[in-house]
Every structure is written in C-alpha cells, then in structure tokens.
Amino acid sequence: MRPVFSELAGQQRVIDTLDREVDKGNPTHAWLFTGPPGSGRTTAARAFAAALQCGQDPAGCGQCKSCLQVLSGAHPDVAFVSTNKVAYQIEDVRQLITRAQERAGAGKWRIIIIEDADRMTERTTNVLLKAIEEPPERTLWFLCAPSPADVLVTIRSRCRAVNLAIPAVHEVAALLVRRDGLTEEQAQFAARVSQSHIGVARMLARDEQARSRRERLVTLPLRLNTLPQAMAAASEIVTLASDHAEATTGASLAERTAALRHANGLGEDETIPPGLRGAFKAIEEDAKRFARRATFDSLDRTLIDLTTFFRDVLTVQLGAHSELINEHRRDEIERYAASQSSEKSLHQIDAINATRRRLAANVTPLLALEALMSTLLQQPGRR
Ligand SMILES: [Zn+2]
C-alpha cells in the first residue's frame, strides 16, 4: 500500500479506486468525498492529493518534501478550504476560483480541497459549478461532505464519487495504536465509545478532561429523577456548549476588531466613525454566526454521546449478547435497563434524535434541551 493511504482505516475499496487513478496518471478533475463525520473523508482527499503530487516511485511515499508539504497543508499547489461560518460567502468562492486559474507552480497539479462543500448555498454553488464544468488545465477539485445528498445535484452529477464507510472499531483502534502510539487497551476504549469517529477517538484517548466530560454526560440519565434535576441538566449542557463556542469565537473577534481598528488608525477607545461602522458590524455578525455554528456542533456531539447510553440500555433489554458501547458502565446500564421497558428506551432514543433535528432547524437550544431532559426522566416509582 502507498504509505500515504495507511491512515485510511477500514477503507480498502476507496484505496483501490484512488490507487488506480494515481497509476493512470490522468485523474478525473472533480471528486466528491463523502462519509460520516470522523470516517476520514478529508484525510482521504489529502492523501490522494499527496499521492498525485509525489514524484517518487511508488507515488505517495509520505516521506518526500512534496508529500510532507501536502500532508501538513503547506504545499503551494494544494489549497485547503474550510469555513468557520454556517455557509460559504459568495466572495470566498470567487477568490477560490481565481486561485484555481493561476498556473500550477512546481507541483504536477493545482488541487483545491473544499472541506465542507455541504456549507454552500445554491447561489454560491452556481458560481463554483461553472469553474468545475470548465476547469483550467491541470486543476483538480476535491469536494468533501457528509453525504452526497448534502451537495446540490448539479455539483454531485459532475463529480466522481468516493464514499467512505464507517470503519470498524478494531480498524480505528489499530490506527490509533499504529499512528498515535496508544496502548491496545486505550485505543480499543476510545474507538468503541467514539463509535469509530477517528477524530473524537483520538481526542478522548489524549485528553483526560474530554474523557471525564463524556463520562459525566453518559451517566447523566442515572441522575435524572426529578424535574428540577432535568432542568438543571439542560442548562448545564447548553452552558458547556456555548462556553466552549465563546472561548473560541471571543478571542478571534477581539483580534479581528483590533486589527481593523489598527488598519484604520483608530485607538482602542476611539469612537468608530459612521463610515466604518458597517465593516465592524460585519465582523461582529460573522463572529455571531460562527458561535452559533460551534454551539450547534458541540450540542450535536453531546446528544450523540447521550444516545450511546440508551442504545446500550436497549441492547441489554433485547437480550443481545454483544459488547456495549459503554461496556465499562455495564453494571449501571443493566440496573437502568431493568427499571424500565424497552418501549420507553426506544422512545428516549427517538426523543434525542428529534432534538437533534430541532436544533438543526434553529430551535432555541435551552428550550429543546429542557423538553428533551424531561422526556428522559425516569418514571417515578419504577426504581
Ligand atoms: Zn512522496
């Protein structure tokens, strides 16, 4: 196997496709990499770019200057584009296209990797579409998205599809051992509780705080006995998510505001003249959008973690003898499972999924979480 493909855990079919393309030497010019979060779609796009740019034999050595540059995001002919915003702005995409039209430098190809093609509005997509339809010579577009359905059909139909599967737990664990030097036990635990999300698994394995946050969350249902407890839990979850988002956004807003003041020769406390208010307002709006997005992502991950508890409860109730996602909590999960019906567990899982959809549809997080937590309350007197 080409060394650059060794990070693609559990994706043999994808590797075969990309291998043939690298051998052929004349790749299709537009690709759509899809796969659930954490399956490694961006990693696959990046590895493919490295293999195409590499001058060694076999290509994709992972060791030469070109490979290292692509893998670290520093190759002058490979651009990584992602957005912190809810959606790409049309200007962002115009800039991209201008970049695509510049001649490739030392590299064999000019490659543009759009990491979240699902965050493009229809108008923005149309601008991109023309560039993809009539690509400048030696320019390749790699688009990444969770699923083909997240990308407008006009784009999808012009791209060659690469669909990444959810890797098996043992495949993710093997990668963590091989690449991150984790012990077999750490790797197994992280791969299992993250449900094969490679990025989350690595974070959990490395970050003690992240692990304890997750433990607290997964055991939350055990502590939900009264309505006040449910309301407190909802508010705690929302506060954690928005604190996390604010910590990242606040710093960048302050930095950007200071830079704009500096560029316009304004002192720290000087009043912003009317002519510049629009520019400052735009930065603020942008930061707000980003904070909303970050809060949403964090809440969604929280709800995915919470679901694992109820899936385990259901597994026990249905008498399946398979390993639990939270195997290390088996005793508590079994006790909980004995205290309620499997219908109730199913209902709870449905309620969590419905909440994820409501949050995606912009319902106020606290309201959505309060409603959910009261549904998750154990029935009084059953325990
Ligand atoms: Zn190389």
Side-chain angles (χ1 to χ4, degrees), residues 284-342:
E284 229 171 86
E285 289 298 317
D286 201 43
K288 269 190 215 152
R289 273 198 300 270
F290 174 48
R292 266 201 303 275
R293 176 82 216 184
T295 307
F296 170 77
D297 286 348
S298 164
L299 281 175
D300 197 51
R301 187 67 227 168
T302 299
L303 293 181
I304 292 173
D305 282 337
L306 194 56
T307 314
T308 65
F309 177 87
F310 293 102
R311 279 180 50 189
D312 282 346
V313 167
L314 196 61
T315 303
V316 170
Q317 287 172 329
L318 298 179
H321 292 289
S322 51
E323 192 180 47
L324 303 180
I325 301 167
N326 300 290
E327 187 61 40
H328 61 295
R329 293 281 179 184
R330 182 176 273 276
D331 288 354
E332 289 144 303
I333 288 168
E334 283 183 343
R335 271 202 303 280
Y336 190 100
S339 76
Q340 69 177 25
S341 66
S342 55

Side-chain angles (χ1 to χ4, degrees), residues 54 56 60-62 64 67:
C54 176
Q56 307 296 308
C61 65
C64 70
C67 278

Side-chain angles (χ1 to χ4, degrees), residues 165-306:
I166 299 178
V169 167
H170 71 89
E171 288 165 330
V172 173
L175 175 69
L176 294 175
V177 169
R178 192 170 67 231
R179 189 186 58 188
D180 300 290
L182 299 183
T183 66
E184 184 63 39
E185 198 190 347
Q186 287 171 323
Q188 276 289 341
F189 171 80
R192 194 182 69 232
V193 300
S194 69
Q195 299 174 81
S196 292
H197 187 305
I198 298 169
V200 172
R202 192 183 316 140
M203 183 187 68
L204 284 174
R206 282 179 178 167
D207 183 350
E208 164 82 50
Q209 265 194 336
R211 270 202 305 279
S212 66
R213 250 197 327 267
R214 183 188 182 278
E215 279 312 291
R216 195 172 151 64
L217 184 75
V218 165
T219 53
L220 176 72
L222 301 166
R223 299 188 300 273
L224 285 182
N225 296 303
T226 65
L227 197 58
Q229 282 170 347
M231 295 301 112
S235 127
E236 186 190 334
I237 290 174
V238 174
T239 307
L240 276 177
S242 53
D243 281 357
H244 175 73
E246 254 166 49
T248 30
T249 336
S252 96
L253 175 63
E255 227 171 74
R256 291 175 64 188
T257 308
L260 189 57
R261 277 183 175 274
H262 183 75
N264 288 288
L266 285 174
E268 220 172 285
D269 299 317
E270 236 170 298
T271 314
I272 299 165
L276 282 175
R277 276 178 205 153
F280 281 91
K281 187 96 196 134
I283 298 185
E284 229 171 86
E285 289 298 317
D286 201 43
K288 269 190 215 152
R289 273 198 300 270
F290 174 48
R292 266 201 303 275
R293 176 82 216 184
T295 307
F296 170 77
D297 286 348
S298 164
L299 281 175
D300 197 51
R301 187 67 227 168
T302 299
L303 293 181
I304 292 173
D305 282 337
L306 194 56

